[in-house]
Amino acid sequence: MRFFNRTGLTVLPLLLGLLFFAASLTPSLIPRDWLVQGVLGGLVMALGYLIGRVMAGLWWLMNLPRFKGRSARIFYFTVATPVLIVLMLSLIQAPGWQNGIRSRMGMDLADSGHTIQMMLVALAVFTVLVVAGFMLNMAFDYLRQRLDRFMPRRTANIAGFLLTVFVVVIVTRDGVLDMVIAKLDKSVTVAQNLFDTAPPPPAGTDIAGGKGSLIDWGAMGQPGRDYVTTGPDAAAISEFTGREAMQPIRVYAGLAQADTPEQRARIAFAELQRLGGFERKVLIVALPTGTGWLDPGAVDSVEYMHGGDIATVAVQYSYLQSPLALILETRSGLDQARALISTIHGYWKTLPKDSRPRLYIHGLSLGAWSSMYGTGLFALLDDPIDGAFWVGPPFPSQMWNGINAERDPDSPYVRPTIGDGRLVRFASHTDDAGGPDGWGEMRLVYLQYSSDPIVFYEPASLFRAPAWMLEAAASDVSPDLRFMPVVTQFQLAVDMALANSAPAGHGHAYYGADYVGPWAAVTNPENWTAADSARLKTHCGDGFGKGCRN
C-alpha cells in the first residue's frame, strides 16, 4: 500500500478533514444551531481534506518514502485512532459547548444538539465541495492536455492552471456574483421605498423632508424617514426629566438625494442651518450603518439627557447591509464621512466658541469605521471637536487599531485601558466608561462587547491565535474556546454573519441601555446624575434595535 494514491480518496487527507470537522464543533463567540454547524463543519472538513491532498501530492512529487503492506496499515491505524477519539469526544461535548455560550448570554438552552442531522448536513456540504474540486481538477487536466500539443509540458501545466483560475474567476465574478449583487441591490432599493413608493411627506416646516425642507422626502429612504419621524418629542422628554424640554432636531439626507458625497453633505448642512441646528447646545454628526439605519436607542438616549437641546445630522451612503457594503462599496462610507464631517466642522469652527454647540461624532458598526476615518487631523487638532462615541468598531478600523495598540499591557484586550483615561476610554456591557469626571479637553469613547466578532475578528487567526484568546475569557465568552489554525478563522467568519443574532447586550446587538453611560461620559449633560442614568437605562432597555419608550 502506498502512502499516497493520486486517483482515490486518500486516508491521511480524509483524517485531516475529520480533525478539522471535530475542531469546528468547539465553541466560538456566537452560539450556532445544528444547521449552521453542519455547513461550517462540512466546509472546514473539505478544506482540511484539500490541504491534506496538497501535502500528500507534494510528498508524492518529491518521491519521498512510502509505507506499504502491513507497515502502512499499522501507520494508518496509529494515526486514525486518536483522530477518531477526538471526533467522538467533540461530538459528545458539542451540545454542551454551545449551551455554555447560550447560558452566558442569558439565552434559552437547546434541548438537543441534533447531532445526526448536523452530521448529514456536514457530509452533504463536504461531498458537494469535493465533487466541485474534482470537476475543477478534470477541467485543469483537460486544458493542460490540450495545451500539451502546442507547448512544453511544464508550460502547458502552468498555462492550464492559469486558464482554469481565469475561467472560475470570470464565471464567479461576472456571472454568479453579478447576479447576486443585482438581486440584492434591487431588493434593498425596494425596501427603501424611494420616490413614488414613499409615504406622504410630513406637513410641518420644522422637520427634515417636510414643507419648505431642502431634503427630498422621496429620496430620503425608509431608514431616514423612520429616523426623523420617531424618537422622543419635547413632551416625552419633559415628562421623563421633570423639566422643560425642546424638540430635538434630526436631519437626514438619503443616498438618492444627490450624486456625490460632497453634494449630499452640503444639502444636509444647509438643512441643519435652516432648522437651527447650530443654535443648540449639542450637535452630533452621525454616520449610519450600511443600509442607512441609525440605532434609535443611541439617538433617543442622548436626546433625553440634554432635554432636547440637541441636533443630529446624518447622511446615507449605501443601501446594502454593512458586511456587503464593507466589501462591495468600501469607499462610499469613507468618502461620505469625510465630506460630511469636514463640511460641518469647517463651518462650526468659524462660530464664536462661547455660543456654538459642542460638537460630537458618532457611529455604529460600519458607521463607526466611516466616521473614524472622516474624523481627520483637522477635526482632532485644528479647533478640535469636543468628543466622539463609537460603537462596535469593525476590526479593520485604523484609528481603533492604533489606539488599541497603546493599551496598558495589564488591561484586558477586550476592555483596554489607555493611559490615564483623560482622552480615550472603553465601555462594554459591564462597564460604562467611568462617568463624566477626570477627562481632558476631548473625550473619545468606544463601546464594544467582548463577544462581538465584528470587532474582534482577526485575519491572522488563519495561523495565529488572536490576542484576546490568550487571556482569561470574558463574562459572555466560553472558557472552552480554543485556537485551531484555519478552523478558528472560519468559526469567526461565521460568527460575524451571526453577530446580530445574539441577544441584546452581546455579539453585535448593541442596545439602548448600554449607550447611556458612555453618552453621559462623553457629553457630560447639565443637571444630570447617576440616578438619572439608571432611570434612563430602564427607560431605554427594551432590546437591540429599539428606541426608548417615548
Side-chain angles (χ1 to χ4, degrees), residues 190-206:
V190 169
Q192 294 280 329
N193 291 325
L194 297 169
F195 301 111
D196 293 341
T197 60
T205 61
D206 57 350

Side-chain angles (χ1 to χ4, degrees), residues 1 39 48 115 118 140 149 173 188 253 262 267 276 280 305 322 332 356 385 412-414 464 500:
M1 183 180 292
V39 174
T115 303
M118 180 271 294
F140 165 65
R149 303 175 183 177
R173 187 194 65 187
V188 297
E262 292 75 19
I267 293 172
R280 296 299 176 97
M305 287 181 184
S322 291
S332 60
R356 69 188 182 189
I385 60 174
Y413 189 88
V414 297
R464 183 182 66 205
N500 285 329

Side-chain angles (χ1 to χ4, degrees), residues 392-411:
F395 66 92
S397 307
Q398 289 186 346
M399 181 183 289
W400 176 82
N401 279 292
I403 290 174
N404 217 32
E406 300 298 323
R407 71 185 179 95
D408 183 339
D410 294 327
S411 63

Side-chain angles (χ1 to χ4, degrees), residues 210-289:
K211 187 176 180 180
S213 174
L214 303 174
I215 300 292
D216 187 333
W217 178 257
M220 189 180 288
Q222 196 59 47
R225 289 190 287 269
D226 290 341
Y227 165 68
V228 300
T229 57
T230 59
D233 58 15
I237 296 173
S238 180
E239 182 181 356
F240 179 84
T241 62
R243 298 184 290 269
E244 288 189 10
M246 301 176 68
Q247 181 70 31
I249 294 173
R250 294 186 177 189
V251 174
Y252 188 101
L255 177 61
Q257 178 71 47
D259 293 332
T260 69
E262 292 75 19
Q263 290 173 331
R264 291 189 291 270
R266 286 195 294 270
I267 293 172
F269 162 69
E271 179 70 1
L272 187 65
Q273 283 184 305
R274 184 186 78 85
L275 293 175
F278 288 96
E279 299 167 13
R280 296 299 176 97
K281 286 186 178 180
V282 174
L283 173 58
I284 296 175
V285 181
L287 268 293
T289 63

Side-chain angles (χ1 to χ4, degrees), residues 4 13 48-61:
F4 176 64
Y49 176 74
L50 173 63
I51 293 173
R53 292 277 298 194
V54 170
M55 293 171 63
L58 292 174
W59 188 282
W60 181 84
L61 287 173

Side-chain angles (χ1 to χ4, degrees), residues 430-463:
T430 57
D431 297 288
D432 62 3
D437 298 327
W439 288 92
E441 292 296 319
M442 187 189 302
R443 307 177 180 209
L444 307 179
V445 169
Y446 289 93
L447 172 61
Q448 55 190 38
Y449 294 153
S450 51
S451 55
D452 187 352
I454 302 296
V455 177
F456 295 114
Y457 173 80
E458 173 55 66
S461 62
L462 187 68
F463 54 87

